[in-house]
Amino acid sequence: MDISDTRWHTKTKASSATSYRSNATISHKDTRNTQVSVSSLAVRLKEAQHAIDAVRLTQQPFPQNKSASTWQAQNQQVAIGSAKFEFEQLSKSQLETIAMDPSNTFSEAEKVAAYEQWHALDQRTLSELKRHSLKDDNAAASFATALNTHYQAFSDLAKAMLPGNYMSQAQSHFESAIQDMSLSAQAKGSESEQYYALMVADLFGGNEPKIQNSAQGMSLNNLERSNYEFLTQKDRNVLADMYQYADQNDIDFTYIKKLASDLGNYRRHDDGKLLGNFNEGHYNADGHQLTVGFTQKDQASIDRLANSGALSDSALDKGFVSFITQPGLGALSHRGSYQFLTHMAEVTAGMPASDSPAQFKTFTEANSTSERYIISHSEERISLPEPDVSCKNGVCEVTEKGRKNGVTLAQDSPGFAPPVEPDLAQFDTLYQLKNDPETRNSAWFEWFFEK
């Protein structure tokens, strides 16, 4: 396929963006010690950093070229996937500390997860370097300069994680990609094929997987899969069109990747049917009902989308947009930009866009949870009963009261984890009223977040 007209192309088998594990499904029987507590992670990072500093003081060499394949065991895949989810917001320096931890502070599975997460981030950076180098007349020389600058910025820990041929391999892949682009141009592939190939390269690392069965939800088989693998053929076609628009308007591809992840998360949970609404029965320890809402900026974009009429003619999936714009479903789980979602709805509907494409030239992550959603609580409070089920760090147990009430937890039933990103400054205990999957009776769940 010819993608010679695009500003970016890669032949590397880079991992696609990390999978996002659903907050709504956690195995309550899984007691692996690789579960990472949000509140204890900072302490463990300090301990690992102290161990690294000790190695430096004694001038001991760090192990070179540590490969995930030497760590990985088949029965650790679920643990690795779980740790990846916990580490997805960490910086590269924090991931380096975990991956190169010389002590036993972090498990082998956690080191693998951090190692793979770090390399996925690095591959994204290399992709951007390639994309911008292709704008120059001498693309190979431009990329060589950018690659050298990139390498020199690595810490000693980062360099210890790289293969010895990192520089030569990256340069070789880029030069090979340029040659392939030249050959592809002669094949006279259609423009739609070119951008579909670009979509496959950016989301799937060049190897498009088959469409996974979304009805299984977060089964063990699906836990380690990327959200992208659940995108339907229609989804992939629409995303390919978005890549064409983004490429021609100098839009950061990260906007598309984040939107694709949100859409894939919706698909992998049977079009959202397997995900619960946070605003239906969550209470804090004082008995106040908790409610999640959008930020003022996001709500303004959602209102504009709803009032413009763009959605009726847009190529975006109507069910997905309805799902992601409900505060109890989308405010906590979304990774993408509501401004970009609204922009693409207007563009694909053939309407004048409210925002300029220049607004999306560089993707910026939210600096805090308050920039992603707002948690509030009711003035009224209820007297909370003793819970039927108590859960801590994703592991649930039926209480004595629950056993008397006949509450059981089925091994293969969906988990009961609340779709929430715990903010311990707001609450450290969370109550949730749910229906037991076997008895269909209401049961109170009490969730604890370790401090």
Side-chain angles (χ1 to χ4, degrees):
M1 295 182 182
D2 178 14
I3 58 174
S4 58
D5 293 331
T6 66
R7 297 192 309 273
W8 181 97
H9 174 64
T10 179
K11 191 180 178 183
T12 61
K13 303 303 181 183
S15 301
S16 57
T18 54
S19 306
Y20 296 108
R21 188 184 63 177
S22 164
N23 285 335
T25 311
I26 299 177
S27 174
H28 48 74
K29 298 281 183 146
D30 190 350
T31 57
R32 291 180 177 86
N33 61 7
T34 55
Q35 291 279 353
V36 179
S37 164
V38 173
S39 56
S40 66
L41 183 56
V43 175
R44 300 171 68 202
L45 280 167
K46 287 183 179 179
E47 292 175 355
Q49 187 60 55
H50 287 325
I52 289 172
D53 292 340
V55 171
R56 288 194 178 111
L57 287 174
T58 57
Q59 297 183 339
Q60 298 179 32
F62 286 105
Q64 298 292 315
N65 303 338
K66 187 175 276 291
S67 170
S69 61
T70 65
W71 283 333
Q72 242 164 345
Q74 202 63 28
N75 60 359
Q76 287 186 316
Q77 289 300 321
V78 174
I80 292 171
S82 176
K84 277 187 180 180
F85 171 77
E86 305 295 349
F87 296 160
E88 66 182 2
Q89 298 300 327
L90 296 186
S91 66
K92 291 183 74 173
S93 62
Q94 290 171 319
L95 293 171
E96 291 163 13
T97 299
I98 296 172
M100 301 301 290
D101 171 28
S103 65
N104 294 321
T105 303
F106 289 94
S107 69
E108 292 303 300
E110 288 171 328
K111 291 179 182 179
V112 173
Y115 180 90
E116 293 182 347
Q117 188 88 336
W118 187 94
H119 278 276
L121 292 176
D122 187 58
Q123 287 297 330
R124 293 185 201 174
T125 302
L126 290 178
S127 295
E128 285 302 308
L129 294 180
K130 294 172 184 177
R131 178 185 179 189
H132 291 293
S133 294
L134 287 173
K135 297 177 182 178
D136 293 341
D137 293 336
N138 192 339
S142 175
F143 179 71
T145 301
L147 179 62
N148 182 64
T149 302
H150 176 60
Y151 180 80
Q152 295 304 323
F154 282 138
S155 66
D156 56 345
L157 286 180
K159 290 179 179 178
M161 294 168 62
L162 297 174
N165 62 345
Y166 175 81
M167 297 279 284
S168 60
Q169 186 180 57
Q171 187 71 33
S172 175
H173 282 169
F174 182 66
E175 293 175 358
S176 177
I178 294 176
Q179 293 176 2
D180 286 350
M181 290 167 59
S182 178
L183 292 173
S184 296
Q186 301 173 21
K188 298 181 179 179
S190 70
E191 192 172 52
S192 62
E193 289 177 325
Q194 298 169 22
Y195 285 101
Y196 193 91
L198 176 58
M199 179 273 296
V200 170
D202 202 32
L203 295 186
F204 304 111
N207 296 318
E208 184 177 11
K210 67 178 183 179
I211 300 168
Q212 297 299 318
N213 182 6
S214 62
Q216 294 179 6
M218 289 300 290
S219 64
L220 290 178
N221 183 52
N222 287 343
L223 185 62
E224 62 192 71
R225 298 188 185 280
S226 165
N227 284 340
Y228 301 140
E229 296 182 53
F230 296 86
L231 295 169
T232 66
Q233 189 58 59
K234 183 178 179 181
D235 295 335
R236 300 179 188 195
N237 293 338
V238 171
L239 289 168
D241 291 339
M242 287 188 188
Y243 272 96
Q244 177 176 356
Y245 176 78
D247 190 57
Q248 295 171 350
N249 290 275
D250 200 23
I251 291 175
D252 191 336
F253 289 165
T254 307
Y255 281 101
I256 303 178
K257 295 170 80 168
K258 296 284 187 178
L259 190 155
S261 179
D262 286 340
L263 178 56
N265 187 55
Y266 169 76
R267 296 296 188 208
R268 83 184 298 161
H269 291 96
D270 198 14
D271 288 353
K273 298 182 183 68
L274 302 178
L275 293 172
N277 191 316
F278 179 84
N279 291 341
E280 296 177 356
H282 285 86
Y283 299 81
N284 64 16
D286 297 322
H288 298 284
Q289 183 169 1
L290 299 174
T291 303
V292 64
F294 296 111
T295 64
Q296 184 176 1
K297 177 182 178 182
D298 288 345
Q299 189 62 61
S301 295
I302 292 170
D303 290 343
R304 188 170 77 240
L305 174 59
N307 297 329
S308 68
L311 189 58
S312 59
D313 296 322
S314 170
L316 298 180
D317 184 87
K318 312 306 187 284
F320 164 68
V321 175
S322 175
F323 172 88
I324 204 71
T325 55
Q326 291 186 56
L329 297 171
L332 286 169
S333 66
H334 81 278
R335 301 293 172 186
S337 162
Y338 283 103
Q339 291 69 50
F340 183 70
L341 178 73
T342 300
H343 183 79
M344 291 311 304
E346 293 170 340
V347 169
T348 59
M351 296 177 56
S354 303
D355 296 320
S356 167
Q359 177 180 330
F360 309 107
K361 185 173 182 178
T362 303
F363 184 86
T364 304
E365 291 280 3
N367 292 320
S368 63
T369 56
S370 62
E371 293 184 6
R372 293 189 60 242
Y373 57 82
I374 298 172
I375 293 282
S376 58
H377 60 77
S378 64
E379 294 184 3
E380 302 80 14
R381 56 177 296 180
I382 65 171
S383 178
L384 292 170
E386 179 185 349
D388 298 291
V389 179
S390 178
C391 303
K392 186 172 184 178
N393 295 335
V395 179
C396 297
E397 295 180 351
V398 178
T399 64
E400 183 63 31
K401 175 177 176 288
R403 285 191 287 272
K404 291 180 180 179
N405 291 338
V407 174
T408 59
L409 294 178
Q411 174 69 35
D412 298 324
S413 66
F416 294 96
V420 59
E421 297 179 9
D423 184 346
L424 298 177
Q426 295 172 315
F427 51 82
D428 53 20
T429 305
L430 181 68
Y431 288 83
Q432 184 181 20
L433 185 61
K434 296 283 289 184
N435 288 331
D436 181 84
E438 291 189 343
T439 66
R440 300 299 177 184
N441 294 326
S442 294
W444 281 97
F445 287 76
E446 182 178 11
W447 299 87
F448 300 95
F449 300 103
E450 181 182 305
K451 287 190 173 183

